[in-house]
Structure formats: C-alpha cells, structure tokens
Amino acid sequence: MTIKDFKVGQTAYILGGGNLTSLGLVTETEVFKVGRRYVTIREGRVETRFYEPINSTTYLVEDKDYGSKRLLFLTTNAVDEYKELNDLRNWVQEATNWMKIKNYTLAQLRAVKEILEEDK
C-alpha cells in the first residue's frame, strides 16, 4: 500500500496509538487530501497528516513529534490483519521466553526451526 492508493473522499480507518492500539479502538475517517508525501484527514477543524513508513506496506503513520502515533489503514481487513500480526508476535515472544524454552523437546524445536527457515 502506498499514498497513491488513497483517494480524496474515501473512507479510511485509524487505529489509535499507545494504549488505544492494544484496546483495538478503530475510528472511521474520510481522506481530505492526498499529496506526494502525505495523506491528510480532517478531524473537526484540525488536519492530521499521515506518511509512509520505511518498514511497512500495510499502513501509514501519523506525522507528529510527540506522543503515540496513530496508524491509517485502507480497510478494516488491513486493521484486523495488523492486530493479528501483533498478537501472534507477542505470543511467539512469550512462548520462546528463556524460562519456557527449556520445556520444549528436541523434536518440537526442530519443527519450529524447519517452519521458520522454510522461506529462506
């Protein structure tokens, strides 16, 4: 997804930053402007800009210098996939915690390694 995928007047979806992200609060918004570097939405009288991050192709990031940055998505499906990805990353991180890793058998660890190295 790029800035060019957004159109003026189109409905987009904001996933709130910080604690709101973990709660999964999603706000529907309308695209106000689409430029070369930013997609702009209007919230009341305030215009908020979003830019393409270097490391993602599924969302845009709010352009601000402080606080939690919100994310802008094209569809609710993209929001759901982003939340699922974060949940799975957290699960894997917890499941491979150094205290729990000793509980897995050699066969289990070999199977995990095979799955994770499958795409390489």
Side-chain angles (χ1 to χ4, degrees), residues 12 23 25 37-38 45 52 57 65 72 76 84 93 96 98 111:
L23 295 175
L25 298 178
R37 295 180 58 198
Y38 299 102
R45 294 182 180 192
E52 283 182 44
T57 59
D65 295 329
L72 184 69
T76 55
E84 182 181 8
Q93 186 173 10
T96 58
W98 70 276

Side-chain angles (χ1 to χ4, degrees), residues 1 13-26 53 55-62 68-91:
M1 179 193 72
Y13 303 90
I14 299 173
L15 182 61
N19 292 336
L20 298 178
T21 302
S22 62
L23 295 175
L25 298 178
V26 179
N55 60 349
S56 176
T57 59
T58 59
Y59 57 84
L60 302 182
V61 177
E62 186 175 12
S68 298
K69 295 181 180 186
R70 298 177 298 168
L71 308 178
L72 184 69
F73 295 87
L74 275 171
T75 64
T76 55
N77 187 43
V79 174
D80 293 341
E81 287 180 0
Y82 173 81
K83 291 194 297 190
E84 182 181 8
L85 176 63
N86 277 343
D87 289 345
L88 288 171
R89 283 178 175 164
N90 290 336
W91 179 84

Side-chain angles (χ1 to χ4, degrees), residues 96-103:
T96 58
N97 180 308
W98 70 276
M99 292 292 286
K100 292 182 179 181
I101 201 73
K102 295 178 183 180
N103 297 331

